[in-house]
Structure formats: C-alpha cells, structure tokens
Amino acid sequence: MNRSGMMRDSLLWLADQGVEGHIFISLGSLRLAAPSLWRNSIKIVVDCGLSPAALEFLMPLRREQVHVIPVSSVSNEPPDTRAGIVAMRTRIHVSSFLERLQRAGDVPRATLCLVCDADTVFLREFVIPEPRVVSDLSVMPEWDNRDGVERPLLLLRQSTFTLPLTEVHVSELSAALEIQENTLRNLPTYNTGVFSFALGTQFVDAWRREYDRINTIRNAAGQLLFSPYAAEQNALSIAIQRGTIIPDSLPRRFNQFPPRPPHSWPQDTAIAHFITFGRNHCEARYKLWFDTRDSVRQDGWIPAALLPAII
C-alpha cells in the first residue's frame, strides 16, 4: 500500500518470448519472498511477444492482480524481430501509457510504479522507493567493481556502439549530440532495468527525443553508431546529462548487480538484477539466480508444461 493508504502501488515488466523463463522466475520470486507486496500491489506484464502457452498461464492470474497488456494497446512502436528491442523501446513510454490504462479502467489506479527487467529476482519485502517531488524518476547510476576498485560506467564503452570503440570518433559524436567532448567522455550511464516514478510524471518526450536522435547518428560510411540494445538506456542518460530529465538516485538495494568476488550480496538487497545473464550466468556470482529458480520451480506455482522454458 502506498504512503497515503488510498491506492496500491504497481510493478511493471515488459517481456517477449525470449525472456519467458526469466519473467516466470521474477514473478515467482516476488510471490515467495514478498507475499505482502504480492497481495497488495498491482502487477502489470506488457506482452511484447509472449508465447500462447505463457499467456495461457498469465491471463488467469488477474485474480491475483496480474494484468497482461498487449503491447499493441500501449504503443505504436513497429514490430522488430531482434530480441528485446520492442520491449526496450516501449519502456520509454511507460509513464504515459500507464496513465491511459488507468483512465480507461484497464488496470487499477496506483500512485507509484516500479519498472523491472525480466531478469530481476525479489529477495524480501520492501516499500517501492518514491522519487523526490523535484525528480522525474528514481534510477541508479551504473557501476562496476573490478580489482577492488569501484568505477562508474560511462557512455563511451563498447556496449554502447555497433562498431568497435576504436572506430568511434568522439569529435564527430560530440558534434552530432551537441555535447562538449570532455562532457561526453565523462558522461555516466543510468540503468533502466529497475526504476520508479510517480504516476502523472511526464518524462516521455525528453526521453524519446534523445532516443530518436541517437538512432539517426551515423559515421561517414553511413553505419549506425549506437547499438539498438542499449539505445533507450543511453538516451535516458543523455537526457539526464542535458537536464531535461531530473533523476533521484535509486538505492542499490533495489537494483543490485551480481557482486564480483571477493564481495558478496549485500544483506539488505531487495531486488537482484542479473544483468548480462546470457554472457555471464556460468559465473559463481550468478548462483543466487539459480537458487531462486529452483525455489520457484519447487513451489509448484508454475505449470509443469512451462518448466522447460526456465533455464
């Protein structure tokens, strides 16, 4: 229940068939680890291409306040066969389409929304963090800890671009983005895998403007520079740098990345976010995901026919 005690808060996931196993684990972990939050919150799954079998399981969960919304009813984004692209593009519009859904009566009214990637796992009860009044959303700056040194992650890194980083010319990028080179070299990124906002907040236009801009930037050979798999996140980071979107810092306990040895999971972690799962899931620091998977499977909530979708 939210601060006023009048309306419940909401949690929202965007998912396609490629992450079905993850979305089952994410929902199942919320149900097991945070039963009060599960009962008292509105859960919204935006269907960006889920399989018929997954929808057959999820649709009846409306009795538990799980609302499945087809992406076609909330966004006019064109179809895309590349995994996750539609979900990432649609995330940009979440504050506006959620308001429309509430006004139409398609989902119950809420005051706060927590947007989660499918590769998140819930570990305990918590209260959804509310951004300060002067902020548009609560979102976490990205970071990494290598060799015992914590460093912020910056825009100018390989995962940002489609081309090798050595072929990205900062001077050309600076001109295209209208951002000074020194500022561009030190521009931090924010992780959009988990963020919260208050209903009524309007940040869509500023976010979409930067998204459209970076998806038109090409090099002299006509090649797109920005990777579509990080475009919406990088667009938000650029909008924050310009000051057109004002962030509140989301505490890490709500978006905790797998810690590198010798560090362990902080005891107060509420949401574990298993970024780069496909590439790094064999590492020991991802064991918590598999432990959670096993707990969800053994609970019997997920039909046996769907268990093969869970890695």
Side-chain angles (χ1 to χ4, degrees):
M1 187 171 291
N2 74 353
R3 318 311 172 268
S4 68
M6 298 294 291
M7 286 189 287
R8 290 170 291 176
D9 295 333
S10 60
L11 297 94
L12 184 145
W13 296 258
L14 302 103
D16 59 19
Q17 190 168 354
V19 295
E20 281 183 7
H22 289 80
I23 194 70
F24 298 152
I25 297 301
S26 190
L27 287 166
S29 69
L30 177 65
R31 179 175 170 273
L32 290 176
S36 179
L37 182 58
W38 175 267
R39 288 191 305 270
N40 296 315
S41 64
I42 302 154
K43 284 78 63 182
I44 301 167
V45 177
V46 179
D47 169 22
C48 298
L50 294 168
S51 70
L55 292 173
E56 185 178 2
F57 165 59
L58 292 171
M59 296 295 281
L61 294 179
R62 195 176 183 92
R63 62 181 180 270
E64 297 183 57
Q65 290 297 316
V66 177
H67 299 263
V68 180
I69 305 295
V71 70
S72 59
S73 69
V74 299
S75 172
N76 58 3
E77 293 287 349
D80 199 309
T81 57
R82 295 171 295 180
I85 297 296
V86 171
M88 288 184 280
R89 287 193 315 224
T90 303
R91 180 159 31 207
I92 295 171
H93 305 280
V94 64
S95 65
S96 61
F97 74 63
L98 191 50
E99 275 199 277
R100 293 199 307 272
L101 291 171
Q102 290 188 358
R103 286 197 301 268
D106 294 326
V107 298
R109 295 195 67 82
T111 53
L112 287 178
C113 180
L114 184 72
V115 180
C116 302
D117 266 354
D119 56 358
T120 50
V121 161
F122 297 84
L123 302 181
R124 57 178 38 82
E125 299 278 6
F126 63 90
V127 175
I128 293 178
E130 184 173 11
R132 294 172 300 166
V133 174
V134 296
S135 305
D136 294 311
L137 75 175
S138 289
V139 63
M140 187 188 73
E142 292 193 297
W143 54 276
D144 198 1
N145 193 316
R146 291 180 180 272
D147 303 319
V149 179
E150 186 172 299
R151 298 182 177 88
L153 292 182
L154 304 179
L155 183 75
L156 294 185
R157 65 181 192 267
Q158 184 56 67
S159 61
T160 296
F161 302 103
T162 57
L163 303 176
L165 197 56
T166 53
E167 297 179 25
V168 177
H169 301 292
V170 177
S171 59
E172 295 176 2
L173 196 59
S174 170
L177 290 172
E178 299 179 318
I179 296 175
Q180 292 184 353
E181 283 190 40
N182 186 57
T183 300
L184 189 59
R185 292 182 187 277
N186 294 284
L187 197 154
T189 54
Y190 291 78
N191 185 268
T192 56
V194 181
F195 66 91
S196 67
F197 65 93
L199 272 294
T201 306
Q202 296 300 326
F203 49 78
V204 172
D205 291 344
W207 194 348
R208 181 57 189 260
R209 186 162 53 246
E210 299 300 342
Y211 181 84
D212 288 344
R213 182 199 292 255
I214 67 176
N215 279 295
T216 62
I217 297 176
R218 299 175 181 270
N219 65 5
Q223 298 168 297
L224 282 170
L225 289 186
F226 282 88
S227 167
Y229 297 101
E232 48 87 24
Q233 178 167 290
N234 290 324
L236 177 66
S237 302
I238 292 168
I240 289 173
Q241 175 64 44
R242 293 193 200 280
T244 55
I245 292 179
I246 307 301
D248 196 10
S249 184
L250 181 73
R252 286 185 187 174
R253 63 185 297 262
F254 298 108
N255 189 8
Q256 178 65 52
F257 298 162
R260 296 182 186 277
H263 303 282
S264 57
W265 289 94
Q267 291 188 351
D268 66 345
T269 301
I271 303 174
H273 184 191
F274 292 91
I275 57 171
T276 62
F277 182 89
R279 186 168 69 246
N280 298 324
H281 68 273
C282 292
E283 297 179 14
R285 61 196 179 113
Y286 284 74
K287 181 178 182 296
L288 177 61
W289 191 91
F290 291 99
D291 290 344
T292 306
R293 175 204 64 180
D294 293 343
S295 296
V296 172
R297 288 174 63 113
Q298 293 164 10
D299 180 58
W301 181 64
I302 299 173
L306 291 177
L307 292 181
I310 303 175
I311 300 173

